[in-house]
Amino acid sequence: MNVGTGGRVAGALLGSALAVLGAAPATAAASTTTEGPATISAGRLILEPTARGYQGSVPVTVTNRSGAAEYYSVRITEPVAGSFQGLRPTGACAFAGRVDDRRIVECGLPGPDLAPGERRSFAVAFEVLTAPRPYAMTAADGRVEVVPGHTGQVADGENFPTLFRSTDGSLRHPRPYVRDTEARAAIGASVGAVALARQADGTYAGRLPVTVRYAGDAPHDYLAVLATLPAGVEVTGTDPQDAPSFGGWFEVPGGQLSAGAERAFDVLFRALAGTVAGDLGTVELTLSTLSGADEVRDADPTDNVLRVTLDAVDNG
């Protein structure tokens, strides 16, 4: 789902009135307004260099300016694509669209409903998986908006600036942060064949150790693999495993990869009972980089494919 802008704010002023004095000219008309039902304020986001890219959080405060207790949600437009990590303390969040490839996320305000006049502070955490630089950088402004539950309409919003601290601690003279638009992922293995050993139930099982590498910093949510398999063979999962495999698809365990990271795991295969021992054919594993449901184009697709042969072996 695409969203044209994450910064459009629905009417935030309630009960506006314009009183015009009969004898006064239009330029002297008196104008009075009442404040909206809630306000939101944010500090700036300082992303600190770490062993895993940059991490930081922006302080946010929501104030209930209405006369009744209210549930609020907070709408967040991330400053860098794929950087949103959640609220601190935590709150339930849901994807609400994109603007310029940056995600818009809506989260319930942590804690109970706000009483009239009450204000509550929390933090929004971000992580940018790129190699730390010896110079400061800047990115697009992020944005936070507050939505009263009973209206479902934005009551107030504020942009927040984003800065990356240099590896020597400086924030001065920042350069624009330019992120890769194409993935540079690769999959490989140290062996070209996998032996599937006969099990007590008559099936055959084996595993293939693989390594996935991620050279760049293109934004992504996870990496996945599609296995094209010989008849009678299936992928039963990975070791370790984060999510169930299905239809030959499985996720690379561990979630997002930072620039230059490698991740090793085993792919688990099984051949059905009744399989005749011997050469079962070739399995092809194709690696994809995914942002939401969309595949991120890879700069070199040739290293996204791995082929190995499978052999069913009877014990003894």
Side-chain angles (χ1 to χ4, degrees), residues 234-254:
E234 61 185 0
V235 172
T236 60
T238 62
D239 182 18
Q241 180 164 319
D242 290 343
S245 60
F246 59 94
W249 279 97
F250 58 89
E251 289 187 22
V252 174

Side-chain angles (χ1 to χ4, degrees), residues 237-285:
T238 62
D239 182 18
Q241 180 164 319
D242 290 343
S245 60
F246 59 94
W249 279 97
F250 58 89
E251 289 187 22
V252 174
Q256 295 173 311
L257 280 80
S258 57
E262 293 188 1
R263 191 163 294 159
F265 59 97
D266 289 355
V267 182
L268 309 180
F269 297 100
R270 179 173 61 193
L272 301 179
T275 296
V276 178
D279 183 3
L280 301 181
T282 299
V283 58
E284 182 177 278
L285 303 178

Side-chain angles (χ1 to χ4, degrees), residues 182-226:
E182 293 183 324
R184 285 187 284 164
I187 185 170
S190 59
V191 296
V194 177
L196 307 186
R198 184 178 178 85
Q199 309 297 299
D201 61 359
T203 63
Y204 291 81
R207 59 179 61 211
L208 170 67
V210 301
T211 300
V212 167
R213 300 174 180 85
Y214 203 73
D217 64 356
H220 65 286
D221 294 316
Y222 62 100
L223 275 64
V225 177
L226 174 62

Side-chain angles (χ1 to χ4, degrees), residues 7 11 30 42 65 88 155 160 187 197 239 265 291 294:
R65 305 198 68 89
R88 307 289 187 269
F160 57 86
I187 185 170
D239 182 18
F265 59 97
S291 179
D294 299 324

Side-chain angles (χ1 to χ4, degrees), residues 110-188:
D113 292 355
L114 261 66
E118 182 183 357
R119 65 175 53 187
R120 184 170 301 157
S121 296
F122 57 97
V124 185
F126 297 93
E127 181 180 59
V128 179
L129 299 177
T130 190
R133 315 289 208 274
Y135 49 85
M137 296 186 293
T138 186
D141 286 353
R143 184 168 177 83
V144 289
E145 298 171 334
V146 60
V147 180
H150 78 284
T151 67
Q153 300 295 317
V154 173
D156 190 26
E158 184 168 291
N159 293 341
F160 57 86
T162 301
L163 287 169
F164 296 71
R165 193 182 299 279
S166 70
T167 51
D168 63 4
S170 175
L171 292 173
R172 299 181 61 190
H173 309 301
R175 307 178 191 179
Y177 170 49
V178 179
R179 198 167 197 182
D180 291 344
T181 58
E182 293 183 324
R184 285 187 284 164
I187 185 170

